[in-house]
Amino acid sequence: MPTDPVVILTREPADNDPLRRILAEKGVRVVVYPCIRTERISPESWQWPPRRSLDEFRVLAFTSRHGVEGFAPAWRGRTRPDLIVAAVGAATARAAEQHLGSVPDVVADPPTGEQLAFQLLECLAVPGADERPGDPRSERLAVPIPAGPVPEPRVLWIRGDRSTESFRQLLDSHGIEVAELVVYRHQTVQLETVSASLPAVLVFASPSAAGNFFRFNGDQWRSAPCVAIGPTTASRLAGLGCRGVVEAPAPDPETLAACIQKSLQELKQHGT
């Protein structure tokens, strides 16, 4: 009798939990196999933007809950009623409420860096942002042009050492100044090899996790179905020679779970 396939989640346990719970409710067997470790950087070692203080920024942007948790020591006891706090999704927004005592003004939905940048452009009412030629999503901005001068909307991006650049690139393209502060780093970890005799769907949320998985598990897994959280991770998997890569249309746990279930069904239909 064939063995039912499992789902291998490659994020850290706390990051896997929302998706793991959804899959468990659907009767899916899950293996948690963290391929990277998040390490906070001590505030004494932060590289602040040169000649800048926190008071000079109009926007504080977080593209992960790890950024919120890492930045919290610098924020305790501070208040800035005029500061716009932006979070990449619901989980990051909850972390901001818990660790910073701030309810974010902008919460990206879907939770991607690119979407956060688009919603910030709307919030900041950037003149002409909806008219920029060559922008395939310009029709979504519908940004009003204010009558008077706009204060310089400097953004401080709280990030990790391997965060993707789409957030910065989109704001840069609209003339928004983005400074960055790296408050955590991703470390690769030594992994035990997973036996490829177990039919499985692999789930990856970062290029780093994908690279480390195949560094230790090699060619035996390259034909396994893979679900990627976004285009950067999907591209990395393709570059590693993986042949069954599916990019989730959105990175939220519900959408990921639906993609995983579809991949599981296809895996079962092909004789496992």
Side-chain angles (χ1 to χ4, degrees):
M1 190 171 179
T3 302
D4 285 339
V6 302
V7 174
I8 298 179
L9 303 179
T10 58
R11 303 174 86 179
E12 293 178 278
D15 294 322
N16 282 325
D17 274 349
L19 178 58
R20 180 189 57 77
R21 286 195 294 268
I22 292 173
L23 294 173
E25 289 171 359
K26 298 178 182 296
V28 176
R29 292 196 299 150
V30 172
V31 174
V32 177
Y33 183 73
C35 292
I36 56 173
R37 182 180 69 249
T38 302
E39 178 182 90
R40 295 181 194 173
I41 299 173
S42 169
E44 292 76 20
S45 300
W46 291 351
Q47 299 296 312
W48 284 90
R51 300 181 300 281
R52 287 287 167 81
S53 71
L54 192 56
D55 293 335
E56 294 181 55
F57 293 95
R58 188 178 175 195
V59 178
L60 195 58
F62 298 94
T63 49
S64 76
R65 68 170 182 84
H66 293 295
V68 174
E69 294 167 357
F71 184 72
W75 187 254
R76 291 193 181 106
R78 296 182 67 99
T79 56
R80 274 280 307 279
D82 61 321
L83 184 69
I84 296 170
V85 177
V88 79
T92 303
R94 287 193 296 270
E97 291 187 56
Q98 178 183 353
H99 296 284
L100 306 180
S102 298
V103 177
D105 305 280
V106 179
V107 180
D109 181 20
T112 66
E114 184 182 53
Q115 178 64 22
L116 183 62
F118 271 104
Q119 291 181 215
L120 263 179
L121 290 173
E122 291 183 323
C123 179
L124 295 169
V126 177
D130 58 337
E131 301 172 357
R132 184 170 293 274
D135 188 338
R137 302 192 188 183
S138 60
E139 69 277 3
R140 293 171 46 192
L141 295 175
V143 178
I145 299 177
V150 180
E152 187 175 358
R154 296 190 181 101
V155 175
L156 180 61
W157 176 23
I158 310 300
R159 57 171 292 178
D161 65 331
R162 301 185 190 181
S163 301
T164 58
E165 296 292 328
S166 58
F167 174 74
R168 167 193 280 281
Q169 289 168 352
L170 186 53
L171 292 178
D172 279 348
S173 72
H174 287 79
I176 303 298
E177 180 184 348
V178 181
E180 61 186 55
L181 179 64
V182 176
V183 300
Y184 67 93
R185 62 174 66 94
H186 282 136
Q187 302 279 21
T188 54
V189 295
Q190 191 81 14
L191 300 174
E192 294 184 7
T193 303
V194 179
S195 171
S197 63
L198 183 68
V201 173
L202 310 176
V203 183
F204 295 100
S206 71
S208 302
N212 208 37
F213 179 93
F214 287 101
R215 174 187 170 201
F216 287 94
N217 290 284
D219 293 337
Q220 60 179 342
W221 280 100
R222 295 190 199 279
S223 60
C226 299
V227 175
I229 202 170
T232 305
T233 302
S235 176
R236 174 63 170 149
L237 287 166
L240 289 166
C242 300
R243 294 183 286 278
V245 180
V246 174
E247 179 189 332
D252 60 277
E254 292 78 14
T255 303
L256 284 168
C259 289
I260 291 166
Q261 284 196 292
K262 183 177 180 181
S263 293
L264 284 170
Q265 290 169 0
E266 292 173 353
L267 191 59
K268 291 176 182 178
Q269 290 169 0
H270 284 81
T272 63

